[in-house]
Amino acid sequence: MPKSVLFDREKVIEDVMQLFWKKGYNGTSMQDLVDVTGLNRSSFYNSFGDKFSLYEESIKHYQAKQLGMLNQTIQDAHSPLKAIQSLFKGILDEVRSGNRKGCMMTGCTSEMSHDPSVSDLLNANKENVVEIFKVLIEKAQGLGEISTEKDAATVALYLFSSLQGLRLTSMLESDLEGVIKEILARL
């Protein structure tokens, strides 16, 4: 008779995601994973396979959380332009509150993009976020909030690149208000 699972998988994934976010894939040891999950090694392997499988699952978990926050920001905004502005100002709020971890996806890109399956996850994330920005830009253009002379796809990729750069820079610099104003002024 197989043993039943006696742990909260969602909590374990959240804890592991936080660990990978802080230390990266290569900086996280199996002992770190055993310690953070509270599972012994055999239970860990039986439940999650291996370190890499758990890393991929934690990336997907992070993506889902970020997408949820992005969608909530869009819903709460009064216009497409306000949604874009709120997203960038949210980074400033995070940094001011002491969150200097940057973005797990940015760290993953610099550390693990050479791996084909991770690269696929990263590219899918980029395409998804760029498409969300593109839709917001097109709506803002329709409302006269952003010039129609700007190519929505190019501006969307610019915003994605700026967002990634800000998340990386926020790990070293807390005074980002001027940079964010400059990014938003380009719209």
Side-chain angles (χ1 to χ4, degrees), residues 17-182:
M17 180 202 75
Q18 294 292 333
L19 178 64
F20 280 129
W21 189 357
K22 178 181 178 184
K23 296 182 89 172
Y25 179 78
N26 292 313
T28 301
S29 69
M30 275 306 298
Q31 189 59 50
D32 292 333
L33 292 169
V34 167
D35 292 345
V36 79
T37 62
L39 301 171
N40 64 41
R41 286 180 190 256
S42 65
S43 294
F44 176 89
Y45 287 115
N46 287 336
S47 299
F48 299 105
D50 59 13
K51 175 182 168 182
F52 189 77
S53 297
L54 188 54
Y55 182 66
E56 288 180 311
E57 193 168 341
S58 71
I59 292 169
K60 291 174 185 175
H61 179 74
Y62 180 85
Q63 285 176 314
K65 286 180 68 165
Q66 293 300 307
L67 186 58
M69 288 190 302
L70 177 60
N71 287 330
Q72 188 63 52
T73 298
I74 293 168
Q75 286 178 354
D76 292 347
H78 300 291
S79 75
L81 180 59
K82 293 282 186 207
I84 294 168
Q85 292 169 337
S86 292
L87 178 63
F88 280 85
K89 289 179 181 173
I91 294 170
L92 187 59
D93 293 342
E94 280 182 26
V95 172
R96 287 179 175 162
S97 74
N99 181 352
R100 303 288 295 272
K101 293 191 301 187
C103 173
M104 183 179 181
M105 299 305 293
T106 303
C108 179
T109 301
S110 65
E111 181 183 21
M112 296 296 292
S113 63
H114 64 278
D115 181 274
S117 63
V118 173
S119 182
D120 289 346
L121 287 171
L122 293 168
N123 278 312
N125 180 69
K126 178 197 64 126
E127 289 170 14
N128 190 25
V129 174
V130 168
E131 181 61 26
I132 290 168
F133 277 138
K134 183 175 175 257
V135 168
L136 287 171
I137 292 161
E138 289 170 342
K139 287 180 180 177
Q141 287 174 325
L143 294 170
E145 296 178 329
I146 295 176
S147 170
T148 56
E149 292 181 15
K150 296 181 184 281
D151 178 66
T154 301
V155 175
L157 185 56
Y158 165 75
L159 290 175
F160 175 80
S161 299
S162 298
L163 185 65
Q164 293 297 300
L166 275 173
R167 297 303 298 242
L168 189 60
T169 303
S170 73
M171 296 170 70
L172 302 170
E173 176 65 48
S174 61
D175 187 15
L176 298 173
E177 189 168 2
V179 175
I180 290 171
K181 284 181 182 178
E182 193 64 33

